[in-house]
Amino acid sequence: MHDVFDNFVDHYYFKEILACLTSADFEWFYKDNITNKKTLGNYGFVHPLFIDKQWSPYSRYAGFLKPLILKIQSFLNAQRIIRARFDMVTKKTDNEHILEPHQDYRYSNFATILYINETDGDTILYKDNTCETEIARISPKPNSLLVFQGDEWHAGCLPIKYNQRILLNSNYV
């Protein structure tokens, strides 16, 4: 099961988030395996906010972005955050490129994706670990929150019509 919630964040706060994440001085860190699978071309950029049970020491924006993470946690009525990071992948081809299908965690958790920028590059949810049958394909829409089970197999697609696809990826229990 999955749900999408449009206009999740207050309009003015969301505009500030978008401006922050797309500014020239926002720190993005290269990650060779954006889905934790070592596959050629599976790279992207991350900005960790919450890892290993603490706010990331790498983010000077944690104070500004913490209310966003807590809003999602409250919305889900979750007890705690497992992780939260911004992800950015970039255009590499004019054809659909699906990143490596994966599970965020192998135990029950809430996974969320908050789409940040105007872009393409769907999120695909699969029926099982064979990843042969799609059960949903969600197109990015700025300020929409996708909620699904984090132990569900899923994959993101690279953008074709835009230079980058930016989202907040977070998990809660």
Side-chain angles (χ1 to χ4, degrees), residues 143-160:
N143 199 10
S144 64
L145 181 74
L146 168 62
V147 178
F148 61 101
Q149 288 299 309
D151 58 352
E152 188 171 357
W153 286 87
H154 61 282
C157 298
L158 298 181
I160 297 171

Side-chain angles (χ1 to χ4, degrees), residues 38-101:
K38 295 224 181 213
T39 304
L40 187 63
N42 207 33
Y43 66 89
F45 302 88
V46 299
H47 185 93
L49 285 177
F50 191 88
I51 49 174
D52 299 326
K53 301 181 182 178
Q54 67 180 359
W55 292 98
S56 172
Y58 305 109
S59 180
R60 63 183 166 129
Y61 302 96
F64 168 64
L65 296 164
K66 187 175 183 177
L68 173 61
I69 305 305
L70 296 176
K71 176 180 173 67
I72 297 170
Q73 181 180 359
S74 177
F75 180 76
L76 297 172
N77 197 26
Q79 291 184 347
R80 68 179 175 89
I81 306 165
I82 301 171
R83 74 162 175 178
R85 74 178 193 206
F86 286 99
D87 290 342
M88 177 176 61
V89 292
T90 56
K91 176 183 172 61
K92 296 180 189 136
T93 177
D94 289 331
N95 300 312
E96 182 177 65
H97 178 84
I98 301 172
L99 294 168
E100 192 73 33

Side-chain angles (χ1 to χ4, degrees), residues 24-25 34 43-44 65 67-68 87 98 104 110 119 124-125 130 138-139 142 161 165:
D25 64 341
I34 196 85
Y43 66 89
L65 296 164
L68 173 61
D87 290 342
I98 301 172
D104 287 349
F110 293 108
T119 190
I124 304 169
L125 304 178
T130 65
I138 299 89
S139 296
K161 300 174 188 170
R165 175 182 184 250

Side-chain angles (χ1 to χ4, degrees), residues 109-123:
N109 69 93
F110 293 108
T112 67
I113 294 174
L114 178 67
Y115 297 102
I116 302 297
N117 64 323
E118 184 70 38
T119 190
D120 57 333
D122 292 349
T123 301

